[in-house]
């Protein structure tokens, strides 16, 4: 009987909160449209443009992951507030009361980047791209890019030429790309070998593959702070450092031994064959008919977003 009373009390409180929320929203909407004018329309458009510029700047950096975390906390706050959870609501209320200070601390570099872009006119070019449609790279283009990487890695492995190639995944690597030289070229075996040729100005850094393009080269990757085997060089440490901060897949060719390694999902696979390398990359970036529809849709949306 006591349990039934508690259940009825919870249901009553739930229905009461739901009705109060609906009434409040209805009153707010009624009041909004009752006093809506041209200034309000301009205000909404201005806020939309500001949000677009901000998202455009941070979407290619790790800050986007922080934004997702803040959105999750906001959704959680709405839920606990709706359920009438007083203690949890108080904690979230205190957090969001200082949200502006938190944003400034967390997104200091991105805020500086936004102001710099506005000062140099980059924001104008961003506004011109509002109506530009994105296009997902074709599966055939991605297969050709993987083929070029595998052939180049096989050749460089035989010649013991060091290489570091990062495939961008869902976490965009805009902050890494900014440390190198943008290329935005169709990948080929000759292009990749020329970039990593020992006397090339870009051979010391990492190459970034975005979509089906060699997007940048000579990029600086963060070194891992973990203790690693003494046989691993700087390229391997950089590869491990990148996968610890993103979901990128990094291919390494050792300059000392010529062995090929691949780093992904927090793991480093050493001394793999070019056939295994091709299988791993194709499984991740070129969904086959045997893949589930959910996985194919996820990859398609990811590429459109880029």
């Amino acid at each position: 009987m006591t349990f039934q009373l508690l259940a009825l009390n919870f249901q009553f409180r739930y229905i009461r909160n739901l009705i109060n929320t609906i009434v409040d929203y209805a009153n707010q909407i009624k009041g909004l449209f009752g006093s809506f004018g041209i200034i309000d329309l301009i205000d909404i458009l201005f806020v939309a443009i500001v949000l677009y510029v901000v998202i455009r700047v941070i979407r290619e950096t790790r800050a986007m992951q922080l934004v997702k975390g803040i959105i999750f906390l906001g959704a959680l706050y709405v839920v606990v507030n709706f359920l009438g959870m007083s203690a949890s609501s108080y904690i979230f209320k205190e957090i969001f009361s200082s949200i502006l200070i938190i944003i400034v601390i967390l997104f200091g570099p991105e805020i500086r980047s936004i102001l710099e872009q506005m000062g140099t006119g980059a924001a104008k070019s961003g506004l011109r791209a509002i109506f530009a449609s994105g296009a997902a790279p074709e599966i055939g283009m991605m297969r050709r890019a993987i083929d070029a990487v595998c052939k180049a890695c096989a050749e460089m492995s035989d010649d013991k030429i060091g290489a570091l190639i990062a495939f961008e995944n869902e976490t965009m690597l805009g902050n890494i790309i900014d440390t190198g030289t943008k290329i935005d070229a169709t990948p080929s075996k000759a292009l990749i070998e020329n970039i990593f040729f020992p006397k090339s100005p870009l051979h010391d850094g990492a190459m970034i593959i975005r979509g089906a393009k060699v997007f940048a080269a000579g990029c600086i990757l963060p070194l891992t702070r973990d203790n690693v085997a003494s046989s691993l060089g700087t390229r391997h440490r950089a590869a491990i450092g990148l996968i610890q901060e993103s979901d990128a897949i990094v291919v390494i060719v050792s300059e000392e031994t010529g062995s090929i390694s691949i780093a992904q999902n927090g793991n480093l696979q050493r001394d793999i064959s070019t056939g295994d390398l091709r299988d791993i990359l194709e499984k991740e970036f070129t969904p086959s008919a045997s893949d589930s529809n959910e996985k194919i849709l996820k990859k398609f949306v990811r590429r459109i977003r880029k």
Side-chain angles (χ1 to χ4, degrees):
M1 181 66 68
T2 304
F3 178 76
Q4 292 178 347
L5 290 175
L6 290 175
L8 289 174
N9 182 45
F10 177 79
Q11 292 177 359
F12 175 75
R13 186 171 62 178
Y14 175 82
I15 295 173
R16 183 187 62 188
N17 290 338
L18 178 61
I19 294 175
N20 291 337
T21 302
I22 294 174
V23 171
D24 290 341
Y25 281 140
N27 291 332
Q28 291 177 10
I29 293 174
K30 182 179 178 181
L32 175 64
F33 283 99
S35 59
F36 191 82
I38 187 66
I39 299 300
D40 299 302
L41 177 61
I42 296 174
D43 187 21
I44 293 173
L45 291 176
F46 177 75
V47 172
I49 291 172
V50 170
L51 289 176
Y52 171 80
V53 173
V54 171
I55 293 174
R56 186 178 178 85
V57 171
I58 69 172
R59 68 186 292 266
E60 296 191 2
T61 67
R62 287 179 297 156
M64 198 62 188
Q65 307 303 319
L66 296 176
V67 171
K68 293 177 182 178
I70 292 176
I71 293 175
F72 174 76
L73 288 178
L76 197 59
Y77 173 56
V78 171
V79 172
V80 299
N81 190 48
F82 177 75
L83 295 177
M85 301 167 64
S86 302
S88 300
S89 297
Y90 175 78
I91 293 174
F92 279 105
K93 184 177 179 181
E94 291 298 316
I95 293 175
F96 283 100
S97 64
S98 306
I99 192 65
L100 290 179
I101 299 175
I102 295 174
I103 289 176
V104 170
I105 294 174
L106 293 179
F107 302 107
E110 285 72 24
I111 293 174
R112 288 195 297 270
S113 178
I114 292 172
L115 295 177
E116 289 173 0
Q117 291 196 29
M118 292 177 64
T120 58
K124 294 181 180 179
S125 62
L127 294 178
R128 288 197 297 268
I130 288 179
F131 300 103
S133 58
E138 297 180 359
I139 299 301
M141 294 174 60
M142 196 64 203
R143 284 202 176 100
R144 288 192 290 271
I146 292 173
D147 181 67
V149 170
C150 292
K151 289 181 178 179
C153 286
E155 189 73 24
M156 292 185 292
S157 175
D158 292 338
D159 297 335
K160 293 187 178 180
I161 295 175
L164 188 59
I165 304 172
F167 284 80
E168 186 182 62
N169 215 325
E170 291 188 26
T171 303
M172 303 189 76
L173 305 176
N175 54 333
I176 301 296
I177 290 172
D178 289 340
T179 64
T181 301
K182 292 184 180 180
I183 298 176
D184 197 15
T186 301
S188 66
K189 175 176 174 291
L191 174 63
I192 297 172
E193 289 180 357
N194 283 333
I195 288 176
F196 289 110
F197 186 73
K199 293 185 179 181
S200 167
L202 302 177
H203 80 282
D204 274 336
M207 174 188 294
I208 308 296
I209 303 289
R210 168 177 287 181
K213 294 289 189 71
V214 176
F215 198 78
C219 300
I220 301 174
L221 303 187
L223 297 178
T224 180
R225 296 183 179 180
D226 295 345
N227 293 325
V228 297
S230 58
S231 59
L232 298 179
T234 304
R235 288 187 176 89
H236 293 84
R237 291 178 59 86
I240 296 173
L242 182 61
I243 65 172
Q244 288 175 340
E245 297 184 1
S246 71
D247 59 352
I249 296 179
V250 189
V251 180
I252 313 103
V253 180
S254 173
E255 187 175 357
E256 289 75 20
T257 64
S259 63
I260 300 174
S261 304
I262 187 167
Q264 63 171 335
N265 300 327
N267 298 315
L268 177 67
Q269 295 178 253
R270 303 177 62 184
D271 301 325
I272 65 173
S273 66
T274 53
D276 291 337
L277 174 62
R278 186 186 301 273
D279 291 341
I280 294 171
L281 294 177
E282 287 187 349
K283 182 179 179 180
E284 177 65 29
F285 296 104
T286 59
S288 63
S290 60
D291 289 324
S292 65
N293 293 331
E294 181 180 356
K295 185 175 181 180
I296 294 174
L297 179 61
K298 181 180 178 181
K299 291 176 180 295
F300 181 77
V301 172
R302 179 186 67 200
R303 291 188 170 95
I304 288 179
R305 189 178 64 185
K306 294 178 182 179

